[in-house]
Structures are given as C-alpha cells and as structure tokens.
Amino acid sequence: MEEDEFFGEKTFQHYCAEFIKHSQKIGDGWEWRASKEALDAPLDDFEVTETTAAAEVIKYEYHVLYSCSYQVPVLYFRASFLDGRPLALKDIWEGVHECYKTRLLQGPWDTITQQEHPILGHPFFVLHPCKTSEFMTPVLKNSQKINRNVNYITSWLSIVGPAVGLNLPLSYATAASHDEGNVSGQDSSTERKSLEEH
C-alpha cells in the first residue's frame, strides 16, 4: 500500500477477499456480499454462536462497508438480546470496555452513533470513519518501515472492533504475515458478520 492511508473500492475489495479467504479457512463466519445480495438476503441467514457466562446473551451483527466519502472502511453493527429486544445507544456505550471508553467519550458523537444502514435501510450503530485515516497512518507507515505487508481490513478491524465487542482470532495476524496482511484478536458472543460493497 502506498503512503496514502486512503484507498479505492478495488483495493477495499482486494483486502476483503484476502480477509474472507482466511475466514473461510478458520470458519468464523465472515462473508462477502455485494449490495444487491445484502438487500435480498434474509437478515438471519448466518450466525456464529459462542457460549458465554453472562446472565443475558447479546447477539451482535457486524457489517463492514466501504465509505466513498472517506475512502476507508466503516463498521456498522447492531446488538440485541436473544428475544430480539435491541440495545439502545446508552447500552452500547455501557458495554464499551474501560480501556476504550475514556478516549471515545472525548467525542462521543464522532465515534459511536446510530444511523440508517446505507444498504439495508435499518437502524444500525456505526463507528464513524472520520478518525480512521488518523489512526491507520502510523500502522501503515510502520509496516512500510519494517517492510511488512498488512491487510488494511484486518489491521483496522483489530483496532476498532474490540471497542464494540468484535475481536478477531489471532490467526488473522499470522495468516496476514504469510499472505498479504497483518494484525490480531478473538471472537465474541453471537455474531453475524459481513463485508459489503455498495
């Protein structure tokens, strides 16, 4: 990747294809959907379930979309209890781990907000992309400095995902260093995940 932290849709698709290739290998449930598929597919067609010790299990659905305006990926997500009751924005903020909360609360309306999903038209929470290039620039520059390829999607999700309960398995980092990418994590609750182009 060049020095510029922004990229076009073709580059987004390339990084997503590499990410999906590893996801299929480890079976953690990520899938690629073009916008027409995203609109036509039933919303609960795929879920990954994990047993938790929590009193109430929360179901998360994560979508990664490409932002033409910011030229970076954007994480949309929704969360609900197993009976279908959605979590409110205040519940999402209460669920943000303490190590992220202080920084995120400095500009709460610039980070996690609720808005309509641009493809599905349903309310989703979104991690606003306005700061993405700011925190991705050092990651990309460091990888260039040490001459190591990174998968932008993997690196980015490893940084933003944990703030909202999405942790990538560590194998993404090792796969990325063997293929064409880099960074880390581990999976959460009940999840539906997709990478989308619109």
Side-chain angles (χ1 to χ4, degrees):
M1 183 159 200
E2 3 183 280
E3 293 234 288
D4 193 356
E5 64 277 2
F6 301 104
F7 56 86
E9 286 185 63
K10 292 284 185 211
T11 305
F12 173 74
Q13 291 172 6
H14 169 75
Y15 286 130
C16 288
E18 291 298 318
F19 185 89
I20 292 297
K21 189 166 106 178
H22 184 69
S23 175
Q24 290 171 340
K25 186 177 179 179
I26 65 171
D28 69 347
W30 284 95
E31 57 190 39
W32 172 261
R33 290 192 175 185
S35 59
K36 183 158 177 32
E37 293 173 48
L39 289 170
D40 295 341
L43 288 178
D44 293 313
D45 66 343
F46 190 85
E47 294 177 1
V48 176
T49 308
E50 206 175 277
T51 15
T52 64
E56 285 199 86
V57 175
I58 297 173
K59 176 183 171 183
Y60 287 89
E61 180 178 333
Y62 299 96
H63 294 220
V64 175
L65 281 75
Y66 177 76
S67 168
C68 293
S69 305
Y70 288 91
Q71 297 180 316
V72 294
V74 184
L75 183 61
Y76 283 81
F77 67 100
R78 58 182 168 181
S80 60
F81 296 103
L82 289 181
D83 64 5
R85 288 177 296 128
L87 272 69
L89 184 57
K90 73 173 187 57
D91 299 322
I92 295 299
W93 275 108
E94 287 171 9
V96 172
H97 193 280
E98 290 303 317
C99 68
Y100 299 104
K101 197 176 280 190
T102 306
R103 173 107 164 96
L104 292 176
L105 284 172
Q106 290 174 0
W109 303 114
D110 294 337
T111 51
I112 303 173
T113 58
Q114 192 168 25
Q115 66 185 44
E116 186 176 289
H117 189 292
I119 296 172
L120 302 176
H122 301 296
F124 267 69
F125 298 105
V126 63
L127 279 172
H128 199 278
C130 64
K131 304 277 189 205
T132 300
S133 63
E134 184 181 311
F135 64 76
M136 286 302 293
T137 298
V139 173
L140 299 174
K141 286 187 177 179
N142 187 52
S143 69
Q144 289 172 347
K145 192 165 111 180
I146 63 171
N147 200 24
R148 185 170 186 184
N149 289 328
V150 296
N151 181 311
Y152 190 104
I153 299 298
T154 302
S155 298
W156 168 77
L157 270 178
S158 296
I159 294 168
V160 301
V164 294
L166 174 62
N167 297 295
L168 295 179
L170 186 57
S171 63
Y172 277 95
T174 55
S177 62
H178 294 310
D179 298 338
E180 285 190 311
N182 189 6
V183 170
S184 63
Q186 176 67 236
D187 261 316
S188 131
S189 318
T190 300
E191 302 173 331
R192 178 171 180 265
K193 304 170 271 196
S194 66
L195 299 166
E196 299 172 357
E197 169 190 40
H198 68 282

